[in-house]
Amino acid sequence: MAMAVEAPASNTAEGPTSHTQNRAALVPATRTAPAASQALSLTAMSVQDAWGFAKALAESSLLPRQYQNNPGSVLWALEYGRGIGLDVITTIQSVHVIQGKATQSADLMAALTRRAGHRMRMTSTDDRAEVTIYRSDDPDFPFTSTWDTAKATRAKLLNKDTWRQYPAAMLRARAISECVRMACPEVLHGAIYTPEEIGAAVDADGVPLDAPVPQPRPSAPEPVAPPVRPELSARQDSDESAPAPAAFAAAAPPKPQSIPSRDEVLDKLYLQAIGNRSHIDALKQIAGAAKAEKVIDMEVEGPPPTRERMTLGALIDLLLADAQAANAERSAA
């Protein structure tokens, strides 16, 4: 007969640790977790054991697609989760590695905010979401973020499938992540965006869809004829038996050129747009290139001070409007 084991109470400098029900939601506090749960923790593992644990998890089909057969990402995510007090299950389900960046679900951001002692108030409808956070160290100053369909339209988000199917969930997630970044970014520990903000296709809960991403394969290069110098060709016409010099007898086939990924193309065009923000013709050319490369609807970081996420097309339109306004002012002067 199995016996229940009660974990000993932990103490801090301020006294015994206590947790209210609303703070414990979604993010279990490791200090009050039962001792048996430590079996799923990196705390007591050696480096070799942790790597073996990550490899075993990566072989499971129950994990999100970005973690399957990728033990390195599993280990990194688990260490990140351990650093902020998350158990293994919560980490795997709520922390996602997208394009090499750690992201969090909006629900996890909200839970971490409340666990840190800050107050969050939220109202949400199908066409509007508003989130307000009162910091525990400054309760009289509210931080508020509002997302509605008009704002999503300006950011060119409503053409995405998930936004058309689940507008209320997407507006709510955007309002949460934006408000948390403004009010208490320290609770995010570097993972400041949701997967959807990075560009991942997600479901109504903000979880990345398990759709495989095909990788382009470079085609094999066609054989290239060896170069022949004119004087050598003339000499061989007169004496076909004369051997060609070794340096021109054969040419090494060219190495296949690597095909840049869409993320690399996006980063390149984003930097070009920022660097040519005052040049109207250059921005128009960059917009054309973005459409041709099919990255015009991928999201990038917007200009300061808000650095609000928006599509590359929306950013170029914004920069174009600013450049045209500045040009009109110069002409009027």
Side-chain angles (χ1 to χ4, degrees):
M1 179 177 177
M3 296 182 63
V5 179
E6 182 177 355
S10 66
N11 294 280
T12 65
E14 293 80 9
T17 302
S18 63
H19 297 275
T20 59
Q21 183 177 0
N22 66 325
R23 294 186 189 177
L26 192 146
V27 186
T30 56
R31 289 178 291 181
T32 59
S37 68
Q38 294 302 316
L40 290 179
S41 172
L42 301 187
T43 304
M45 295 184 188
S46 66
V47 175
Q48 293 78 9
D49 291 340
W51 177 246
F53 182 44
K55 289 180 65 176
L57 285 178
E59 295 174 359
S60 172
S61 60
L62 296 178
L63 267 65
R65 179 61 62 93
Q66 71 269 17
Y67 290 133
Q68 294 179 18
N69 300 315
N70 195 348
S73 290
V74 172
L75 183 60
W76 189 97
L78 294 183
E79 179 61 22
Y80 174 86
R82 186 180 71 88
I84 61 176
L86 302 182
D87 60 76
V88 170
I89 303 301
T90 302
T91 298
I92 291 298
Q93 296 301 323
S94 301
V95 177
H96 308 281
V97 180
I98 308 297
Q99 300 179 12
K101 299 178 181 178
T103 65
Q104 300 183 23
S105 67
D107 287 336
L108 178 58
M109 291 182 177
L112 292 175
T113 298
R114 289 180 168 130
R115 190 181 73 174
H118 310 305
R119 289 188 298 139
M120 175 182 288
R121 298 290 181 265
M122 185 187 317
T123 58
S124 177
T125 64
D126 286 341
D127 54 11
R128 187 178 186 275
E130 181 176 293
V131 174
T132 300
I133 295 175
Y134 300 85
R135 288 187 59 92
S136 59
D137 56 0
D138 190 8
D140 296 328
F141 185 87
F143 293 82
T144 300
S145 176
T146 303
W147 270 81
D148 53 22
T149 52
K151 190 172 183 178
T153 301
R154 291 195 299 271
K156 297 185 178 180
L157 296 173
L158 295 184
N159 60 336
K160 295 184 176 183
D161 291 340
T162 307
W163 277 83
R164 288 196 297 266
Q165 296 169 359
Y166 314 108
M170 294 297 99
L171 291 171
R172 172 183 171 275
R174 287 283 179 143
I176 290 174
S177 63
E178 185 176 82
C179 196
V180 173
R181 283 195 296 271
M182 289 191 304
C184 47
E186 72 278 2
V187 306
L188 301 178
H189 295 268
I192 63 175
Y193 295 117
T194 64
E196 187 269 330
E197 288 177 300
I198 294 294
V202 298
D203 60 16
D205 298 322
V207 178
L209 298 176
D210 287 342
V213 180
Q215 299 295 329
R217 296 181 178 179
S219 57
E222 297 181 359
V224 180
V228 179
R229 292 187 300 185
E231 61 270 21
L232 177 60
S233 178
R235 187 176 66 186
Q236 286 183 337
D237 289 341
S238 61
D239 185 5
E240 295 181 356
S241 63
F248 293 90
K255 296 181 179 179
Q257 296 182 351
S258 60
I259 300 176
S261 65
R262 290 184 69 195
D263 293 334
E264 292 172 334
V265 173
L266 176 66
D267 291 342
K268 178 182 177 181
L269 293 176
Y270 169 74
L271 293 175
Q272 288 180 353
I274 295 298
N276 291 276
R277 60 192 311 157
S278 302
H279 304 282
I280 297 175
D281 292 338
L283 288 172
K284 291 180 178 179
Q285 292 177 0
I286 294 169
K291 291 179 182 178
E293 296 289 347
K294 298 181 179 180
V295 297
I296 193 74
D297 292 327
M298 293 183 68
E299 288 195 30
V300 295
E301 186 177 82
T306 62
R307 300 190 183 278
E308 178 183 300
R309 300 285 296 182
M310 61 179 63
T311 64
L312 179 59
L315 174 65
I316 294 176
D317 289 343
L318 181 62
L319 297 178
L320 266 173
D322 290 343
Q324 290 168 346
N327 190 36
E329 289 180 2
R330 287 193 295 269
S331 300

